[in-house]
Amino acid sequence: MRLAVPNKGRLHDPTVGLLERAGLHLENGTERQLYASTVDPEVTVLFVRAADVPEYVADGAADAGVTGLDQVREAGVDLDERLDLGFGNCRLVLAAPENGSITSVEDLAGGTVATEFPHIAREYFAEQGIDPEVVEVSGATELTPHVEMADAIIDITSTGTTLRVNGLAVVDEVLQSSARLFVHPDMTEDPKLAEIETALSSVRSAEGKRYLMMNAPEDELDAIRDVIPGLGGPTVMNIAGGDQVAVHAVVDERDVFEVITDVKERGASDILVTEIERLVD
């Protein structure tokens, strides 16, 4: 199984970190490497540009890949999306100069739009029923309206700060993107893919969760159950030689503070909270 991942940029470190937490440890590092073996002899990681990942997977040079949805949509290739990895979140937006004449998509009929994503732009405008000229640029997209190269732009934004600094306002949202696991259509039933997907999703499932352990009076068990908003019900185990039980539960991190207070009021003691690395549903 060959897995293509971004070799640099904002998706590189989160992707490598996710693989490590999922147990797919890289054997020979990532610095200036074109590929790396993993602890699984059947899985090799290929390091390529994020924009090239879709083509690598579509052409069969890689069996699966991690990149942004925006890159796959721009490449126009037919891949199977398997898992949203929860990082690299951004929006592709249509933006135009603030206080200018472009305040809606329809205002761009007969106009010009600059973008690094011409394929997505043309698909978007076709859906809107208009056909402005799309000019492909490779950088400094925000500058093009100010030098009269374009009436508007389609570009990536995370917070909108760069647009505002450059005197641009969002007219419409074109696409919401994040890093995702994509596979070649011929590999969707591959057992090794299923293993990788389970490993990655187990890390995603554990995010924001904590493992809560405590001892509690057996006669307060029902009351303690009522205040633990866990993943299903808590696990209860008898403790030899006493009237207490051990209670284990998975809870959301945001609930931990309140839960500890509540269970202590009901007699719980020896409370331990730990992080969860992986959670297989």
Side-chain angles (χ1 to χ4, degrees):
M1 170 71 67
R2 296 184 299 271
L3 178 66
V5 305
N7 62 349
K8 58 184 178 180
R10 63 191 181 91
L11 299 184
H12 172 76
D13 287 345
T15 301
V16 172
L18 177 62
L19 294 176
E20 293 285 345
R21 297 197 305 276
L24 276 173
H25 305 292
L26 304 184
E27 296 268 275
N28 46 358
T30 65
E31 291 298 323
R32 287 187 285 275
Q33 297 287 331
L34 298 178
Y35 64 91
S37 55
T38 70
V39 292
D40 186 333
E42 296 182 32
V43 179
T44 300
V45 173
L46 309 179
F47 295 105
V48 301
R49 293 194 317 139
D52 292 337
V53 170
E55 290 293 347
Y56 268 70
V57 179
D59 293 344
D63 303 300
V66 172
T67 192
L69 175 63
D70 56 308
Q71 300 292 350
V72 173
R73 288 281 299 275
E74 179 58 27
V77 293
D78 182 23
L79 302 181
D80 188 45
E81 181 184 326
R82 304 291 292 201
L83 186 65
D84 188 333
L85 301 177
F87 59 84
N89 298 303
C90 61
R91 297 183 300 151
L92 198 60
V93 299
L94 173 67
E98 295 175 330
N99 304 317
S101 60
I102 307 300
T103 59
S104 69
V105 180
E106 291 75 20
D107 293 335
L108 283 166
T112 303
V113 177
T115 184
E116 294 183 54
F117 301 89
H119 182 79
I120 292 177
R122 293 187 180 99
E123 281 193 338
Y124 167 74
F125 289 122
E127 292 171 357
Q128 303 298 318
I130 61 174
D131 187 26
E133 180 184 359
V134 175
V135 177
E136 183 176 0
V137 295
S138 58
T141 309
E142 298 90 349
L143 179 64
T144 57
H146 300 295
V147 295
E148 300 181 353
M149 182 177 174
D151 301 302
I153 68 170
I154 287 181
D155 202 12
I156 289 287
T157 183
S158 295
T159 64
T161 300
T162 302
L163 294 176
R164 290 191 294 272
V165 167
N166 287 281
L168 301 172
V170 174
V171 175
D172 193 21
E173 182 176 283
V174 176
L175 177 70
Q176 287 193 349
S177 181
S178 60
R180 307 184 188 189
L181 175 67
F182 296 94
V183 303
H184 190 282
D186 292 344
M187 299 297 296
T188 55
E189 302 300 323
D190 188 275
K192 183 56 64 174
L193 170 64
E195 291 180 22
I196 293 174
E197 189 174 355
T198 296
L200 298 180
S201 63
S202 71
V203 176
R204 291 280 293 119
S205 296
E207 292 173 355
K209 299 288 194 301
R210 292 295 182 265
Y211 194 62
L212 185 65
M213 297 170 279
M214 71 194 78
N215 294 334
E218 190 170 8
D219 57 6
E220 290 290 337
L221 185 55
D222 288 340
I224 287 176
R225 280 196 182 104
D226 289 342
V227 299
I228 297 180
L231 188 69
T235 299
V236 179
M237 294 168 283
N238 291 324
I239 299 176
D243 59 356
Q244 290 205 326
V245 293
V247 179
H248 294 198
V250 176
V251 300
D252 287 335
E253 182 181 15
R254 64 178 179 271
D255 295 327
V256 168
F257 181 83
E258 185 176 354
V259 168
I260 289 177
T261 301
D262 290 341
V263 297
K264 283 188 66 176
E265 290 177 352
R266 289 158 178 79
S269 60
D270 301 321
I271 301 169
L272 178 64
V273 180
T274 66
E275 294 186 355
I276 303 173
E277 291 187 1
R278 295 175 59 182
L279 180 61
V280 180
D281 295 329

